[in-house]
Each structure stands twice: as structure tokens, then as C-alpha cells.
Amino acid sequence: MLKLFSRLFSLGAAATLALAGTAGYYHYALPDSFYVTKGTELALHTALPIQSAAEGDAPAYAAETVPMRGSVSLRLFGFLPIKTVEVTAVDTPLVVPGGDPFGIKLLMDGVMVVGMGKVNPEGECPAERAGIQVGDMVLSVNDTPINGNAALQQAIGEAQGEPVQIRINRGGDIRTLSLTPLYSQADACYKAGLWVRDSTAGIGTVTYYMPNSGRFAGLGHPVCDVDTGEIIPLSSGEVVGVNIQSVTKGSAGAAGELRGCFTPGKAMGSLYLNNRCGVFGTLETQREPAEAVPLGLKQDVHTGEAVIRTTISGREPKEYAIEIEKADWGSTGTKNMVIHITDPALLDTTGGIVQGMSGSPILQDGRLIGAVTHVFVSDPTRGYGIFAENMYEYSADTGG
């Protein structure tokens, strides 16, 4: 009897430790805050049941006025405390899923330093000596705004070898450096030793439109400089139509690509923001009326079947089957979920996710829950997606 009691006690202790370990895992895996649709409670799709409760076991959240914030406790199996989280009741927006390709013509706020070179036979580089680094944005020279390579060359040339004050943006840190140009015998002019870029262009996929305002979101990740990898500060940008003409099929170790051309004529709209969660802009051309769907919140995302809307030929998007293999609610970047392309037609044409599909909307249970952002180069049938909530939150900060 003593042995049996001892064994039962050991099993009970092991079970208690296992539960405590599981609660600890959820404590760190779950975010500290959630949005909920007004009038609803916080419900989590987790492998083990987690209940949310306010003080006195009142409903976790059923606020009828927005925005309204409160705190609720999360409990494993309804009794084991995990953590207290902040919950904000909001009006869940209705959005129109995109999937159509668009072209980006983006002018930078200043010019980006993409390289530096020697100016004279002695191997001197004025920019390097001044402390300028690759990735810096040159904003002005002697208080003259710099909006292109030609303007930079003119400002350096006019100094005739005298020191100039260069104002730069280094990752949000604005500073002023003193640079003394050197004369280049080879080019017969004064030079700073800078290689810069002032614009970029490319194609992506629209994630969603706002039904009434004309605002839209796309890409799901920032437009970055190809040489430095830095997010390009936006001065102005145009949105143009794109016609997808061909596909380079992806394979293990080689990313595929959608190939298209900008359609001629007037720009469709403008861009006002390029940030970590995508590009955001306003369309000026009228679109055909389309059905809006609720924007899914991160806790709405769960493993299982879903679809993406994307365009692999022409300009009209189609839906293709995918599987959501993992959703990381605590992730705040652009890799919030792992998706797996399962649709035979899409796999046959593209091999999976290819460049140009970034921003393709992901829909599950009648909601727009996210967008495609990255491909696994080792397995193009799989990749990452961003939560739609993250994209909307970043656009809403500026009135999107």
C-alpha cells in the first residue's frame, strides 16, 4: 500500500510539474496584449484549453464602446494562472482582399549611400574620412536639400574643395558631418567618393483595400535597398498597373519570380508610407465594387486550411489552397506564421512562393488574416506570412 501511495504521489507530482511547465511556456509564448471585436470575449485557439476571465469570473471582454481597454487573466484549463493581458475592444474593420499586382516607383527622402570609392591615386576617400557609412541617407549639403545624385554632385562641385556640412540620417539618428572634397584628376572635378541611389522600382501584390477611402496596403514587408538592406525612407511614390507576363518557377535553392511590365498611362495612385509592415498608399482610379470581409485578429489565426489570393498571369487574382502550419501570436515582425502551398495548380506553375507574390492576402474562416511575405529558399512550397492585424495597425497610425 505504501508503495502504491508513493507511486501515485510521484505521478501526481510529475503531472503538476508538467502543467506548471506548460503554463510557463504559454506565459512567454502569448503576447501581453490583444484586440477583440467589441461585444465579444477573448477566445484563443490553443492546443490546450485556455480561458480568459475578468475579476469575479465576469465575461472576459464584452465592451460595447470602443476603444475600451481592460485587463483579463488567462488560465490553463480554467484554473492554472498563466498571465494577465491587456485587452482592447475595437470595431473590427471591413476590408476588400486584394491579390492583384501593382508597380512601385519610389523616390527616397534624400539619397542612400550604397558604396564608397577612392578619389585620387593616394587612395583617399573623403566620405570615409568624414565618417559616412554605407546605408546613411544624405539629406542636405550646406543646408541645400539633396533629392538626387545630380544635386549631390552639384553641391560637392560648387564647394571647390572647401569643407561642406553634410546632414545625414543614420537609422533615425540625424547628424551633421564635415566633409572636405578632393580633386579627381581622372574626372577633372571635386568628388566626395560616394556612390548613392535616389530611387527604386519593383512589383508586389496588394493585400487589401479600404472600401470607402481608397487607402490600400501591400507587400507585407518594407521596400529595402538591394545593396544595403536598409528600409528606404519614402519621399514620394507612385502606384502603377502591372501585367504579369511570365513566371520563373522556384526550386530548392533558387527562388522563382513573377515577371511583368508596368502598364502605360497615368499612375493609379500614390504611396505615403514604407515601413516594416509593408507599403501603404491611396488609389485614385475607381475599382470595381467587391465584397468586403472582416479583418482577422491574430488570435483568429489557427493551423489548418486557408487560401491565398494572388496573380500569376495577367492582372486578375485567383484563390489557391494553402495550409497554415504554425501561428506565432507573440511575434511582432513580418514572420508571424508559417504557410505551406498545397494547391496543385499553383505548385505546377510557380513551384510555390515566388518573388512578386509578397502581399498576397491570406484568408481563413471568411476573414482576411494576413499576407505572404517570405519564401523558404530551401523549400519554395513553404514560407512566412504577416498578420493582417500588424499591417492594419501600422497603417492606422497615419490615418490608413
Side-chain angles (χ1 to χ4, degrees):
M1 179 65 72
L2 185 59
K3 284 186 178 181
L4 177 61
F5 177 79
S6 178
R7 183 176 299 172
L8 290 173
F9 178 81
S10 298
L11 289 174
T16 301
L17 287 173
L19 284 174
T22 303
Y25 163 78
Y26 280 123
H27 177 86
Y28 290 104
L30 294 175
D32 295 327
S33 62
F34 290 89
Y35 291 107
V36 297
T37 303
K38 71 174 184 180
T40 68
E41 298 182 15
L42 176 61
L44 304 178
H45 297 278
T46 50
L48 297 177
I50 294 176
Q51 296 178 10
S52 53
E55 287 188 25
D57 290 329
Y61 222 78
E64 291 294 344
T65 58
V66 296
M68 182 69 73
R69 290 182 174 84
S71 296
V72 300
S73 62
L74 301 181
R75 302 172 186 173
L76 184 63
F77 294 110
F79 70 88
L80 188 61
I82 296 175
K83 67 192 305 185
T84 298
V85 298
E86 182 182 86
V87 176
T88 304
V90 295
D91 282 314
T92 302
L94 292 175
V95 297
V96 178
D100 35 333
F102 71 107
I104 301 167
K105 294 181 179 179
L106 189 151
L107 292 177
M108 301 180 187
D109 184 14
V111 296
M112 177 173 283
V113 178
V114 297
M116 288 180 277
K118 310 303 181 183
V119 170
N120 56 26
E122 289 74 28
E124 296 175 289
C125 176
E128 195 173 78
R129 182 185 294 173
I132 293 175
Q133 299 177 7
V134 170
D136 288 346
M137 295 296 303
V138 177
L139 305 177
S140 66
V141 175
N142 288 342
D143 295 326
T144 299
I146 301 299
N147 55 15
N149 186 36
L152 178 63
Q153 289 180 347
Q154 181 177 343
I156 295 297
E158 289 175 349
Q160 290 295 300
E162 293 296 317
V164 297
Q165 300 302 303
I166 294 189
R167 189 164 175 261
I168 65 167
N169 179 348
R170 181 175 295 164
D173 178 19
I174 308 298
R175 59 182 71 182
T176 300
L177 304 175
S178 180
L179 181 148
T180 303
L182 291 175
Y183 191 77
S184 168
Q185 295 287 349
D187 298 310
C189 64
Y190 284 93
K191 303 184 75 172
L194 287 171
W195 294 98
V196 299
R197 181 177 291 115
D198 58 15
S199 63
T200 190
I203 67 171
T205 302
V206 173
T207 303
Y208 64 81
Y209 305 89
M210 303 304 295
N212 299 318
S213 68
R215 294 285 180 97
F216 80 94
L219 285 189
H221 61 69
V223 177
C224 296
D225 184 77
V226 294
D227 292 308
T228 67
E230 298 289 332
I231 297 177
I232 296 174
L234 176 65
S235 172
S236 62
E238 288 184 346
V239 180
V240 297
V242 166
N243 188 58
I244 301 299
Q245 297 177 315
S246 64
V247 177
T248 300
K249 191 173 182 178
S251 60
E257 181 182 16
L258 297 178
R259 296 192 175 186
C261 63
F262 291 175
T263 56
K266 177 180 177 181
M268 296 168 52
S270 59
L271 298 175
Y272 65 82
L273 188 63
N274 174 37
N275 67 23
R276 60 181 298 197
C277 288
V279 295
F280 306 89
T282 303
L283 293 179
E284 298 167 0
T285 57
Q286 295 293 323
R287 287 180 49 79
E288 292 294 326
E291 183 179 357
V293 301
L295 184 137
L297 302 174
K298 58 193 172 192
Q299 66 268 22
D300 295 325
V301 183
H302 59 86
T303 57
E305 295 180 353
V307 298
I308 64 170
R309 281 173 56 89
T310 196
T311 304
I312 58 175
S313 179
R315 301 180 63 182
E316 294 299 321
K318 295 181 179 180
E319 291 190 354
Y320 301 94
I322 69 166
E323 186 90 5
I324 296 177
E325 296 186 334
K326 179 183 178 182
D328 183 359
W329 296 338
S331 171
T332 58
T334 60
K335 300 177 180 179
N336 309 138
M337 51 183 144
V338 176
I339 63 173
H340 180 202
I341 305 296
T342 57
D343 196 288
L346 188 59
L347 291 172
D348 183 61
T349 303
T350 67
I353 300 168
V354 297
Q355 295 178 29
M357 285 172 59
S358 293
S360 298
I362 304 172
L363 295 106
Q364 186 180 55
D365 300 334
R367 300 182 178 95
L368 186 139
I369 60 167
V372 177
T373 57
H374 299 80
V375 60
F376 294 173
V377 178
S378 60
D379 179 7
T381 69
R382 289 178 166 83
Y384 287 114
I386 184 175
F387 292 144
E389 175 185 315
N390 289 356
M391 293 183 70
Y392 185 81
E393 188 173 24
Y394 267 71
S395 69
D397 288 341
T398 57

